[in-house]
Amino acid sequence: MAAKIPVTVITGFLGSGKTTLIREQLQNNQGRRIAVLVNEFGEIGIDGDLLRSCRVCDEDGTEVTPNIVELTNGCLCCTVQEEFLPTMQELLKRRDRIDCILIETSGLALPKPLIQAFRWQEIRNGATVDGVIAVVDCEAVASGKLVGDLDAINAQRQEDPNLDHETPIEELFEDQLACADLVLLTKTDLVDVEAQNKVHAWLKQELRDGVKVIACDEGKISSEILLGFNAAVEDNLDTRPSHHDSEEEHEHDDDINSINIVTDRAFEPTQLLTSLKQAIADQEIYRIKGFVNVPNKPMRMVLQGVGDRLETSYDRLWASDESRQTRLVFIGQGLERSQIEAALSL
């Protein structure tokens, strides 16, 4: 019987830096044959495309295409049996050619229902959850966008009993922390040392004893730290509490949805960012991600947006055989396609 394939589950809030982290692991694989499962929210495979576009070399330096599988039919923790199980079964047929698997969950996925699937006989004989990594956006937490003001949150809860009822997104964030074996603190360059220390201290209060918090710049972290926990998490879930432990299954907020925009139109970056910031101000948009066709620019622009923070970069040249389309995914609450199209003047 071959050894079980170690699986690392990477959780984190929307736009925290999970895809960047996995790109770094693929590009610096140290000879490991890594398979990646990407759980998109929405129909356009932005994250999978970003991962496939990175340069990955095998042991002799030959460039290879990373083994990326996209699961796009809904949040993994809601589609475990329908989508995750058959995908894992197919991967396990190739277990002699895979050294480890990385799973990037969507920003809306609860970790425990996914990990519980590794107890199923069809999976447990071939794979084990090596560890759970929670990726946390330091700047977002420090600014109170996710969990409230760090200095006042405890006092506010004592003064206002309504604050004891937390939103689903806050509960999700807590569930991800409760399940983690390691927390990676990203975007630390966007806050000062005092704010970073406050976030670090707050996280330590929320985490189980022994779980470390490590600053991680642009996804750069040694695989010796990220991999090899040997935690067999599926056998130790009782120590990782969840808000949904008493429920047979969970439901997401029905109003959270995604809108996919695909257009041949090119956008001048400054004007596009202005339009998007206005759309964010007018609508409950949590996340924007995608690729942009910029006029007279041979490279495609990558757009990442979390809250009202928008970031752009250029990742590669447009291929001669691909359409120079702008493809954007908007994730938020109660989003209307007509309003987003109007904001983009489509």
Side-chain angles (χ1 to χ4, degrees):
M1 177 68 70
K4 293 183 180 182
I5 298 175
V7 178
T8 300
V9 177
I10 300 175
T11 69
F13 205 73
L14 301 172
S16 57
K18 301 187 297 292
T19 303
T20 301
L21 175 68
I22 294 177
R23 277 174 62 96
E24 286 293 322
Q25 292 300 308
L26 291 175
Q27 291 174 319
N28 300 282
N29 57 55
Q30 299 181 351
R32 290 184 179 89
R33 297 167 298 178
I34 302 174
V36 179
L37 271 65
V38 181
N39 182 206
E40 288 276 12
F41 190 86
E43 299 172 357
I44 301 177
I46 302 299
D47 291 347
D49 199 351
L50 281 172
L51 292 173
R52 274 188 292 271
S53 70
C54 70
R55 293 173 57 86
V56 179
C57 296
D58 62 15
E59 290 178 291
D60 63 7
T62 303
E63 189 169 334
V64 296
T65 301
N67 189 357
I68 311 295
V69 180
E70 292 178 88
L71 304 178
T72 60
N73 292 331
C75 171
L76 259 186
C77 59
C78 300
T79 60
V80 170
Q81 185 167 345
E82 297 87 348
E83 186 154 10
F84 175 70
L85 175 59
T87 300
M88 279 298 299
Q89 289 176 308
E90 288 301 312
L91 285 177
L92 291 177
K93 292 177 182 178
R94 293 177 275 159
R95 54 196 290 191
D96 59 332
R97 288 168 280 166
I98 297 174
D99 295 318
C100 62
I101 299 174
L102 305 180
I103 299 179
E104 177 190 346
T105 66
S106 79
L108 297 174
L110 291 165
K112 285 187 73 170
L114 170 62
I115 295 168
Q116 286 168 339
F118 285 83
R119 294 174 172 175
W120 298 349
Q121 198 65 33
E122 299 94 331
I123 297 178
R124 71 174 295 118
N125 290 334
T128 181
V129 181
D130 180 75
V132 179
I133 311 299
V135 184
V136 175
D137 182 332
C138 183
E139 191 273 341
V141 175
S143 64
K145 295 176 183 175
L146 301 182
V147 294
D149 183 88
L150 292 180
D151 289 329
I153 187 168
N154 290 330
Q156 286 176 333
R157 285 177 173 170
Q158 291 174 357
E159 295 170 1
D160 185 350
N162 291 326
L163 291 174
D164 288 334
H165 176 69
E166 300 182 321
T167 69
I169 289 177
E170 289 173 329
E171 291 183 1
L172 165 61
F173 188 57
E174 292 176 356
D175 278 14
Q176 290 172 347
L177 292 180
C179 205
D181 293 286
L182 176 70
V183 173
L184 298 183
L185 201 55
T186 62
K187 298 179 171 57
T188 54
D189 58 313
L190 300 179
V191 300
D192 58 28
V193 174
E194 180 182 1
Q196 185 179 153
N197 289 339
K198 287 181 179 179
V199 172
H200 191 284
W202 177 80
L203 286 171
K204 291 298 291 182
Q205 292 178 350
E206 299 295 310
L207 295 167
R208 302 189 319 278
D209 291 342
V211 176
K212 303 298 183 182
V213 180
I214 302 176
C216 179
D217 180 39
E218 296 296 327
K220 294 179 174 62
I221 186 170
S222 169
S223 60
E224 302 302 320
I225 296 175
L226 193 72
L227 308 177
F229 280 86
N230 299 315
V233 180
E234 67 274 15
D235 295 328
N236 297 285
L237 282 176
D238 290 343
T239 63
R240 303 167 192 243
S242 166
H243 287 281
H244 302 270
D245 282 342
S246 61
E247 302 174 12
E248 293 185 2
E249 59 181 315
H250 79 279
E251 297 180 359
H252 289 315
D253 190 329
D254 291 337
D255 289 336
I256 295 179
N257 65 321
S258 67
I259 301 293
N260 303 299
I261 300 294
V262 180
T263 176
D264 293 329
R265 178 181 168 184
F267 291 89
E268 194 282 320
T270 301
Q271 294 177 356
L272 175 61
L273 294 181
T274 299
S275 298
L276 291 177
K277 287 181 179 179
Q278 185 59 52
I280 292 169
D282 295 338
Q283 302 180 59
E284 195 70 10
I285 296 174
Y286 301 142
R287 182 83 161 92
I288 305 172
K289 57 183 177 179
F291 307 113
V292 180
N293 176 17
V294 177
N296 304 315
K297 187 76 174 182
M299 301 184 74
R300 77 179 180 180
M301 189 176 81
V302 180
L303 174 68
Q304 301 276 1
V306 180
D308 58 1
R309 188 177 71 240
L310 299 171
E311 300 174 351
T312 62
S313 62
Y314 292 92
D315 71 328
R316 65 167 174 81
L317 294 169
W318 289 100
S320 59
D321 60 347
E322 71 177 323
S323 300
R324 288 185 53 133
Q325 290 182 317
T326 294
R327 295 185 291 145
L328 298 173
V329 176
F330 295 77
I331 302 171
Q333 188 167 20
L335 300 183
E336 297 287 344
R337 174 177 294 276
S338 59
Q339 294 179 354
I340 291 175
E341 290 179 343
L344 297 175
S345 301
L346 296 178

